[in-house]
Amino acid sequence: MNSKISSPYRDDIVISWPELHRDTRILCHALMEKGPFKGIIAIARGGMIPAALIARELEIRLLDTICASSYDESEESGAQNTRSDVKILKGVDHDGEGFLLIDDLVDTGNTARVIRKLLPKAYFATLYAKPLGRDVVDLCVKEFSQDKWIYFPWDIDYKFVPPIKKNV
């Protein structure tokens, strides 16, 4: 039986590279008031690009990752948008004191809560947040409603789309 899985997302938000850079710089300005930080811990994979940009802007040279998996690939789209249990694939050997914990997005907060318990003393910042996860992070740049699916620049491919009139 081929049953279609119903999605909790009403529509999509596409974040462009320029928007991501702008929002990261806005985050950096706010982080300047919170630091200095010993280093950055990026939540892999989504937090790795923002963490690298933040490391550059704040001149932080100590970078580490905590690796977690909380999405499974959808059979229909190939996108990782099906929730699963949070699995920590690689941790760090401290409680996060003096470190900046970075992710691209906090969605439901499930992954963030697990990581927050492992690194309770880290300062947790994300570029974007949704209501169910917003309370887990200390700082974010933008908030989106829970029913939006966020596509990051590394998730999409730009291609030509013919004018609407040509498709009629």
Side-chain angles (χ1 to χ4, degrees):
M1 184 169 144
N2 187 6
S3 64
K4 193 168 189 166
I5 298 171
S6 120
S7 172
Y9 304 104
R10 189 168 45 97
D11 59 15
D12 303 332
I13 302 282
V14 177
I15 305 293
S16 67
W17 283 113
E19 185 175 8
L20 181 92
H21 278 267
R22 184 194 66 231
D23 291 342
T24 301
R25 288 180 63 87
I26 291 168
L27 183 61
C28 287
H29 283 286
L31 289 170
M32 289 287 295
E33 299 173 13
K34 308 296 182 187
F37 298 100
K38 292 179 192 175
I40 295 174
I41 302 166
I43 299 176
R45 295 175 314 211
M48 293 175 70
I49 291 173
L53 296 170
I54 291 165
R56 178 200 182 270
E57 296 298 335
L58 300 185
E59 296 187 339
I60 296 173
R61 303 218 179 260
L62 179 58
L63 292 145
D64 201 350
T65 58
I66 185 164
C67 303
S69 173
S70 62
Y71 286 98
D72 289 327
E73 190 171 293
S74 166
E75 288 181 28
E76 295 168 8
S77 70
Q80 293 189 343
N81 59 9
T82 305
R83 302 231 182 265
S84 67
D85 292 334
V86 177
K87 299 172 196 88
I88 300 297
L89 308 172
K90 178 204 166 278
V92 294
D93 63 356
H94 54 82
D95 62 6
E97 185 170 5
F99 280 79
L100 181 55
L101 181 60
I102 297 293
D103 206 355
D104 54 355
L105 167 73
V106 61
D107 191 327
T108 63
N110 293 341
T111 302
R113 283 182 186 83
V114 169
I115 292 173
R116 177 64 106 181
K117 284 180 187 171
L118 297 172
L119 300 167
K121 295 185 178 179
Y123 190 84
F124 197 169
T126 61
L127 289 173
Y128 311 113
K130 294 183 183 179
L132 290 176
R134 176 60 183 97
D135 66 323
V136 183
V137 299
D138 297 307
L139 181 65
C140 74
V141 174
K142 287 183 183 170
E143 296 182 35
F144 294 108
S145 66
Q146 202 66 44
D147 62 355
K148 306 285 185 196
W149 181 259
I150 312 299
Y151 283 103
F152 288 92
W154 50 86
D155 292 327
I156 58 174
D157 186 21
Y158 295 100
K159 66 179 186 174
F160 175 77
V161 177
I164 293 171
K165 190 170 182 177
K166 293 199 184 262
N167 290 326
V168 178

